Amino acid sequence: MTRRAVVYLPDATSLAAAASQVAGRAMLVRTLLTAERGGVSRIGVPALFRDGALEARIAAHARLRAAVVWLDRLTAAQAREWSSGPLLLLPANVLLDALSLRRLFAARDPGDGIALEESKGSLSPILLAPAALSAALWDRLVEGAPLGDELEVRVRQGGMTLVVGAGFFVPVLDEASRGEAEATLFRSLGIGADSRVDRMINRRCSRWLTRLLIRLPVTPNQVTLVSLALGLAAAWMLWSATPVSALAGLILYMLAVVVDHSDGEVARLTFQESAFGKRLDFAVDTAIHAALVLGMGVTAGHVGGSVMVVAGAGAASGVILSALFARFLPEEAARDERVVWVLKGLGTRDLFYLVLVAFLFGLWYAPPMLPGLVVLLAVGSQGYWLTCLLRRRVARG
């Protein structure tokens, strides 16, 4: 099924708002990319919005290039096809999320159309117009005529089905609302896997870094590689570590985590998420943690002998296997499935921070405790992935 959307102009002042920059991207570009991510296969844009910068941005994005259609370039037959079916009407100056659009498409339309409830009462309503309304508005949609007042009345009259959105709805009208939209985007950057330290410290630092990165010609994968370099430098500092080098390693690891958060934020803000990027991020994160515990084992070997290097290697392999098998854990665990809740809690970075602090404390004040810490890491990491495997086998019956 072809899902079509048309970008419209709410009022005469919205043209400038559509060109305003929010988190490094023009509002209209964000609208187009959100529509594509929301399941729209063809996006009609009036010629009123056409300029070199917009066309260059569309040309640089393969999926957007395939989806965007300039309404004035449609043939007569194509125009009849567009105007004779339902159309998603999107204001050019509103920050919204893709999941809300998917909810609109999933809702059942009794015939009068569907609107996003959050947009009711605003001059920039988002609605899935029925065929009759599409035909009535078609000529003005092609012209780019302001339609906000008329559409707001139609939504307010109560005939349309209202659907509650899944994220945010922020009309950009002036500098104040542009700042609000940007702040809303940055507040939404956290993920469910964030630990307490992530929320309290890492995300606050990474958002500052991300504000800089989105204005530079860097890709999320390049940011991930910077995180890898910092993480491996941290591991090197723990290799035959002194108290000072171990402290430097802890600081470098914290920086690597901040950069690791930032690569995902850059990807989400610039619509550059990819399957390869997720796999690279996972591989880098796992490699850093494995290298760190191996470095701890080498350092512990100066106290407990060469067997500690073997224990460190065992801990490193356990970290790798734990990361792999933790991916089988469900995103949301049932309340009575305590094993999954415990595993998820143990798999956060907060625990790893405690391990690093304990290692630094032992190196500084009690070197004889280091072998015990490395053995505990080896046993715990191996036990973790085995428990994940057992849980998966039990869940599969």
Side-chain angles (χ1 to χ4, degrees):
M1 176 181 177
T2 301
R3 292 174 173 173
R4 295 186 176 93
V6 173
V7 177
Y8 74 89
L9 195 67
D11 56 38
T13 65
S14 301
L15 187 59
S20 62
Q21 297 283 315
V22 174
R25 293 291 184 276
M27 271 307 310
L28 178 55
V29 173
R30 291 199 168 277
T31 298
L32 297 176
L33 288 166
T34 300
E36 189 273 327
R37 293 294 173 91
V40 179
S41 50
R42 304 293 281 172
I43 311 168
V45 183
L48 178 72
F49 294 106
R50 187 159 55 225
D51 60 33
L54 178 59
E55 290 186 299
R57 180 65 68 179
I58 292 172
H61 196 287
R63 287 186 295 184
L64 204 56
R65 188 168 62 246
V68 169
V69 174
W70 295 103
L71 295 181
D72 62 321
R73 294 175 179 173
L74 292 174
T75 66
Q78 290 172 328
R80 284 194 298 271
E81 184 180 4
W82 276 68
S83 61
S84 62
L87 290 175
L88 176 65
L89 303 184
L90 292 173
N93 64 324
V94 170
L95 179 71
L96 67 153
D97 59 288
L99 187 54
S100 293
L101 296 184
R102 293 187 180 276
R103 286 191 177 184
L104 280 180
F105 285 122
R108 185 175 180 179
D109 182 8
D112 294 324
I114 307 171
L116 187 68
E117 184 169 12
E118 289 85 342
S119 70
K120 181 180 179 181
S122 78
L123 295 180
S124 304
I126 298 172
L127 63 145
L128 189 58
L133 180 57
S134 299
L137 296 175
W138 179 250
D139 289 340
R140 283 179 289 167
L141 286 171
V142 174
E143 294 171 4
L147 294 172
D149 287 334
E150 181 177 344
L151 294 179
E152 190 276 329
V153 170
R154 287 181 179 271
V155 174
R156 182 163 39 86
Q157 285 175 344
M160 291 190 175
T161 300
L162 297 179
V163 173
V164 178
F168 39 79
F169 171 84
V170 184
V172 175
L173 307 172
D174 49 27
E175 183 59 26
S177 57
R178 189 204 66 80
E180 180 187 352
E182 188 161 289
T184 298
L185 267 182
F186 277 94
R187 283 195 300 268
S188 71
L189 290 176
I191 60 175
D194 284 349
S195 67
R196 182 168 303 195
V197 174
D198 287 332
R199 293 190 295 270
M200 293 178 61
I201 300 175
N202 296 330
R203 284 292 175 193
R204 295 184 180 184
C205 297
S206 65
R207 286 168 184 156
W208 177 86
L209 176 60
T210 300
R211 289 180 185 275
L212 171 65
L213 292 176
I214 58 176
R215 288 167 172 79
L216 299 176
V218 297
T219 67
N221 292 342
Q222 290 170 340
V223 180
T224 302
L225 294 178
V226 173
S227 173
L228 174 62
L230 289 169
L232 293 181
W236 177 250
M237 290 297 176
L238 297 188
W239 198 281
S240 298
T242 65
V244 174
S245 70
L247 178 60
L250 175 60
I251 295 172
L252 284 170
Y253 172 71
M254 295 174 67
L255 291 174
V257 172
V258 169
V259 176
D260 177 55
H261 280 37
S262 192
D263 66 0
E265 293 171 357
V266 170
R268 292 190 289 279
L269 285 174
T270 59
F271 298 88
Q272 295 185 73
E273 306 102 312
S274 68
F276 174 78
K278 290 181 180 179
R279 289 193 293 268
L280 178 64
D281 186 71
F282 170 79
V284 165
D285 192 47
T286 304
I288 289 173
H289 288 98
L292 286 167
V293 297
L294 181 58
M296 293 182 204
V298 172
T299 300
H302 294 292
V303 179
S306 59
V307 69
M308 286 297 100
V309 179
V310 177
S317 65
V319 166
I320 295 171
L321 291 170
S322 294
L324 290 171
F325 282 95
R327 293 166 72 90
F328 295 131
L329 295 175
E331 291 292 331
E332 296 292 336
R335 289 187 177 275
D336 58 346
E337 199 170 4
R338 295 180 181 177
V339 172
V340 174
W341 285 103
V342 172
L343 289 173
K344 283 184 171 292
L346 292 174
T348 66
R349 280 199 180 95
D350 288 2
L351 180 61
F352 202 80
Y353 275 122
L354 290 175
V355 169
L356 288 174
V357 170
F359 176 80
L360 180 60
F361 176 85
L363 190 62
W364 211 297
Y365 297 107
M369 70 172 280
L370 295 180
L373 177 63
V374 173
V375 170
L376 182 62
L377 278 173
V379 173
S381 60
Q382 296 292 340
Y384 186 95
W385 76 262
L386 286 170
T387 305
C388 289
L389 176 61
L390 178 61
R391 186 264 166 199
R392 176 173 170 79
R393 292 180 67 88
V394 171
R396 295 177 64 180

